[in-house]
Amino acid sequence: MIEILNYLSDLLWGVPMIILLFGTHIYLTIRLKFPQRKIFTAIKLSFTKDKKGDGDVSQFAALATALAATIGTGNIIGVGTAIALGGPGAVMWCWLTGVFGIATKYSEGLLAVKYRQKSEKGYMVGGPMYVLQYGLNSKWAGMLFAIFTAIAAFGIGSTVQANAISTLASDVMGVNPWITGAIVTFLAGLVLVGGIKSIARVCSALVPLMALVYVIGCIVIMCINHAYIWPALQLIVTSAFSVDAVGGGLLGSSIMIAARYGIARGLFSNESGLGSAPIVAASAQTKNPVRQALVSASGTFWDTVVICAITGIVIVSFVLSYTDVSTVDSGVLRKVFQMQLESKLQVMDGGTLTKFAFDHIPYVGAPLLMFGLFTFAFSTILGWSLYAQRAVEYIGGYKWAKVYVWMFLVAVFLGSAINLNTVWTMADIFNALMAIPNLCALILLSDVLVKDTNYYLWDKHLHEEER
């Protein structure tokens, strides 16, 4: 089974997927005239409350809920995994995925609002399944996306996150994983029973706090480790485009390997192209689709361009701290990086590498990692539970969505204690299966995206109500 899963993951995340995902990012960036230019407008809009327009939560609440789902273990352990498997160059590819992925996240948000519908209970629902059905007249593709989402949530949204929390509690405080699982499940259940408004309210309070504390903590770490920051940046950039066979990564190194793991973990982190974040974007109260699209796009900026990049620099600079970087050039440095991982540090997985990096820093390192993992993972559980509920509601109606919540909570509890060696692989598989129909929809509906973007954004009708 493990061999089959690994084969499927390698197949789905091979050259075609990298071309489809990164190619869609670049294609939409060019066709929409670089909406990344409006990132500061997007940040400003995220704190602006639209009093007109349909929707159930504010734009900021929708963004906070989406960030709650995207800022998770992928930002900490996922970055470490990308570096361990793809070398330091994977950080650069992860970052580039975020920069160009802003255009894709913008496009997803626009289409989600444009094609959203009222549910049987009277609230707004949307996302790629509705875009596929009402934008492309393909109900079967919408059903496939919803099924993949509901299954993926058991990996990326529940078991992986709960296991990260329980493992940390066990390693640091010696708490039994089953006890941690029971506590996390109980806390998640308290929030989930209140529906989207309860989830959005908790995420709106939790996300800004956890992100701010983590970023400040990482900056403190980089100040302590300042002598290795510039060499780390050089190594990250040069390794991303290195074609030699020894440039880092436990599986060897090349542009493809660095890109494969950097892009895969970038998607796992910011979910641009995955199609998950638009599900909550469709619930936002907004005057027109482009306003919420910009707000959604700012999530990728915070998640990957800022948080993942900072985490990557912290980890790479930590490995280099075992070396006299003043005596070697960048080519030798890549070999040294590899040797440090394999011999002195004996790192075989991203989680261990991340833990070593933060434990290495006195006083602030370990507490910061503990705070970040707990808050990031718990918030991801909340966000993904909403995504999965909406997907199940699309498949079978409101009643089955409520049944799914209990199944989701059971997965949280079990994930805290069971072995998850293959869960990351399964998460990659279902992420790819979700991304494929979503990316195809974005490309096929690019004319719609161009038309609305030109009118609302570039022709300066951004503050008008939807026509």
Side-chain angles (χ1 to χ4, degrees):
M1 180 62 70
I2 292 173
E3 289 179 1
I4 292 172
L5 291 174
N6 287 332
Y7 173 78
L8 286 175
S9 179
D10 290 340
L11 180 66
L12 288 168
W13 282 106
V15 176
M17 172 56 79
I18 291 177
I19 292 174
L20 177 61
L21 178 62
F22 206 68
T24 300
H25 290 347
I26 296 174
Y27 172 73
L28 292 174
T29 294
I30 295 172
R31 282 219 65 186
L32 300 178
K33 304 176 184 177
F34 290 80
Q36 290 91 335
R37 291 182 290 159
K38 293 291 185 178
I39 190 62
F40 293 109
T41 300
I43 294 171
K44 181 181 177 180
L45 281 175
S46 65
F47 295 98
T48 302
K49 188 173 183 178
D50 278 355
K51 296 182 179 180
K52 296 183 179 180
D54 294 325
D56 305 296
V57 296
S58 69
Q59 290 176 310
F60 177 77
L63 172 64
T65 305
L67 279 173
T70 54
I71 300 179
T73 54
N75 295 83
I76 303 178
I77 295 176
V79 173
T81 301
I83 294 170
L85 297 177
V91 177
M92 184 67 181
W93 284 104
C94 184
W95 187 79
L96 288 173
T97 301
V99 172
F100 287 101
I102 289 173
T104 301
K105 184 65 73 70
Y106 165 90
S107 302
E108 292 175 313
L110 193 159
L111 293 179
V113 174
K114 190 173 186 66
Y115 293 107
R116 63 185 179 179
Q117 307 290 316
K118 273 194 180 290
S119 71
E120 59 184 271
K121 296 292 184 178
Y123 50 79
M124 303 303 298
V125 291
M129 49 275 202
Y130 294 92
V131 172
L132 289 162
Q133 179 177 349
Y134 296 100
L136 293 176
N137 195 31
S138 182
K139 177 70 180 289
W140 67 269
M143 290 292 289
L144 279 179
F145 177 87
I147 291 170
F148 294 149
T149 301
I151 297 174
F154 285 123
I156 184 175
S158 57
T159 53
V160 165
Q161 311 301 332
N163 192 264
I165 295 173
S166 65
T167 300
L168 183 69
S170 177
D171 291 344
V172 177
M173 297 180 291
V175 180
N176 186 293
W178 291 111
I179 296 176
T180 304
I183 295 172
V184 172
T185 303
F186 175 74
L187 293 175
L190 286 179
V191 180
L192 300 187
V193 294
I196 184 173
K197 292 187 177 181
S198 173
I199 295 172
R201 185 166 55 250
V202 172
C203 291
S204 296
L206 181 61
V207 168
L209 173 65
M210 71 182 194
L212 182 63
V213 171
Y214 183 75
V215 169
I216 292 175
C218 284
I219 292 174
V220 171
I221 290 175
M222 287 191 290
C223 290
I224 296 173
N225 220 21
H226 66 276
Y228 303 96
I229 299 303
W230 180 245
L233 290 171
Q234 289 180 306
L235 184 60
I236 287 169
V237 174
T238 57
S239 298
F241 306 103
S242 169
V243 295
D244 59 73
V246 291
L250 302 181
L251 301 182
S253 178
S254 68
I255 291 177
M256 270 315 301
I257 291 178
R260 183 254 194 260
Y261 288 104
I263 292 174
R265 293 306 167 192
L267 174 62
F268 188 89
S269 173
N270 64 52
E271 300 179 11
S272 293
L274 186 62
S276 51
I279 296 174
V280 69
S283 300
Q285 185 176 14
T286 183
K287 290 180 182 178
N288 60 66
V290 170
R291 288 174 70 88
Q292 182 56 36
L294 285 169
V295 173
S296 295
S298 69
T300 297
F301 172 79
W302 294 119
D303 178 271
T304 306
V305 178
V306 176
I307 295 178
C308 278
I310 289 175
T311 303
I313 294 170
V314 167
I315 294 174
V316 174
S317 63
F318 153 71
V319 178
L320 293 183
S321 68
Y322 284 84
T323 304
D324 183 1
V325 295
S326 64
T327 63
V328 294
D329 59 27
S330 59
V332 176
L333 205 55
R334 288 195 294 274
K335 300 177 184 179
V336 172
F337 188 94
Q338 171 74 5
M339 291 169 59
Q340 298 289 18
L341 286 179
E342 292 180 328
S343 59
K344 184 174 290 186
L345 298 179
Q346 298 181 347
V347 172
M348 298 304 293
D349 65 86
T352 304
L353 176 57
T354 304
K355 186 176 184 299
F356 278 4
F358 282 83
D359 283 349
H360 176 70
I361 306 300
Y363 306 116
V364 298
L368 177 64
L369 179 62
M370 185 173 178
F371 173 83
L373 269 178
F374 177 79
T375 55
F376 286 16
F378 184 73
S379 65
T380 300
I381 291 172
L382 301 182
W384 264 90
S385 68
L386 177 62
Y387 297 161
Q389 286 183 66
R390 290 289 192 261
V392 173
E393 185 174 355
Y394 178 83
I395 298 169
Y398 179 81
K399 178 179 66 176
W400 286 106
K402 290 304 173 186
V403 173
Y404 182 91
V405 172
W406 294 103
M407 296 170 60
F408 186 87
L409 290 173
V410 170
V412 170
F413 179 67
L414 294 177
S416 299
I418 62 176
N419 191 307
L420 296 180
N421 287 337
T422 61
V423 170
W424 279 96
T425 302
M426 293 180 67
D428 276 349
I429 290 172
F430 283 102
N431 281 355
L433 292 175
M434 289 174 63
I436 291 170
N438 179 58
L439 293 170
C440 290
L442 293 173
I443 294 170
L444 293 173
L445 292 171
S446 59
D447 287 342
V448 176
L449 293 168
V450 170
K451 182 180 178 181
D452 278 9
T453 299
N454 285 341
Y455 179 79
Y456 289 111
L457 190 58
W458 305 127
D459 292 341
K460 300 182 179 179
H461 298 287
L462 188 60
H463 303 292
E464 294 182 3
E465 293 185 49
E466 186 174 4
R467 42 176 191 172

